[in-house]
Amino acid sequence: MSTNGYINLFPGISENDRWNFRIINIVREIGLLPTIALTALLCCISCPLSFILDGYECQGSTYSLSAPNQRSCILGRAEISETGPLAKCPTTLRSLCKHKGNSSFNNPCIAALHTAWTCFRIYGRPFIGWQTDWAPGLCADCKPGLGLEYESRRIRLWMRLPVTLGLDGSWEELEKAEVEAF
């Protein structure tokens, strides 16, 4: 657990740079584009916005992200914010419920999806796969298809993540550009 209640999802390379800003800047500078997408995602999930924008001080040193890395992290935060498409992934599935007219917690599907939403937000895992413990709470009409639809939406979000973070191209295009650069 990091400071201020944020979960640091990736270990610090340096004791002084607990958010790995130096590593993120170096990775972008040398052109490891798929790695940038992942590190920017982890940073935007786990790092306070004020640190992304203004940097931070630790043990007498100042750490800050480069402008392109700030942009990627800000775009990522917008994507995973409560109103962003990524954060809506589990909760938008309630629109698929056969009983969608009943939006109360008396509806078993809404209660089960609330559990999914809690896992999704609290644990900072926006690409969490369908959890088998979510299905028992679903109604019989929804149980067969809801997990598949969730996975389909999750995969679509993952595939567009590089573009969402302001990088040019798909995962395959980033990997190809990285290979060509070296």
Side-chain angles (χ1 to χ4, degrees):
M1 186 69 93
S2 67
T3 60
N4 302 325
Y6 285 85
I7 300 170
N8 194 342
L9 298 175
F10 58 121
I13 305 298
S14 163
E15 284 184 28
N16 294 343
D17 184 8
R18 64 179 161 234
W19 302 106
N20 295 319
F21 283 6
R22 288 186 296 186
I23 298 300
I24 294 169
N25 290 336
I26 290 169
V27 166
R28 182 172 303 260
E29 194 171 311
I30 61 175
L32 300 176
L33 300 177
T35 305
I36 278 298
L38 296 175
T39 57
L41 175 67
L42 293 173
C43 183
C44 72
I45 291 170
S46 65
C47 185
L49 181 59
S50 62
F51 290 3
I52 292 170
L53 295 174
D54 302 324
Y56 66 95
E57 286 189 28
C58 183
Q59 298 181 1
S61 296
T62 302
Y63 302 95
S64 61
L65 290 170
S66 66
N69 286 332
Q70 284 178 326
R71 180 177 181 266
S72 290
C73 289
I74 291 167
L75 290 171
R77 285 181 72 90
E79 182 78 1
I80 63 170
S81 72
E82 290 190 25
T83 57
L86 187 54
K88 289 181 184 177
C89 187
T91 56
T92 55
L93 294 177
R94 73 176 170 203
S95 64
L96 300 174
C97 176
K98 307 290 189 242
H99 310 286
K100 58 185 158 197
N102 178 3
S103 63
S104 71
F105 280 99
N106 295 331
N107 176 341
C109 293
I110 301 304
L113 290 172
H114 178 72
T115 302
W117 171 250
T118 302
C119 289
F120 183 82
R121 294 300 293 171
I122 290 178
Y123 299 112
R125 294 166 42 189
F127 292 102
I128 188 172
W130 181 259
Q131 304 294 299
T132 55
D133 61 336
W134 298 346
L138 299 174
C139 68
D141 293 336
C142 296
K143 196 177 285 191
L146 208 52
L148 294 173
E149 180 61 22
Y150 175 88
E151 287 300 316
S152 170
R153 291 179 184 198
R154 185 177 67 88
I155 289 167
R156 283 195 309 263
L157 289 167
W158 175 257
M159 295 309 291
R160 66 172 238 245
L161 181 66
V163 173
T164 299
L165 295 173
L167 300 170
D168 295 324
S170 66
W171 287 107
E172 293 80 21
E173 292 167 334
L174 295 179
E175 289 172 4
K176 183 180 176 186
E178 179 180 276
V179 168
E180 289 173 358
F182 291 102

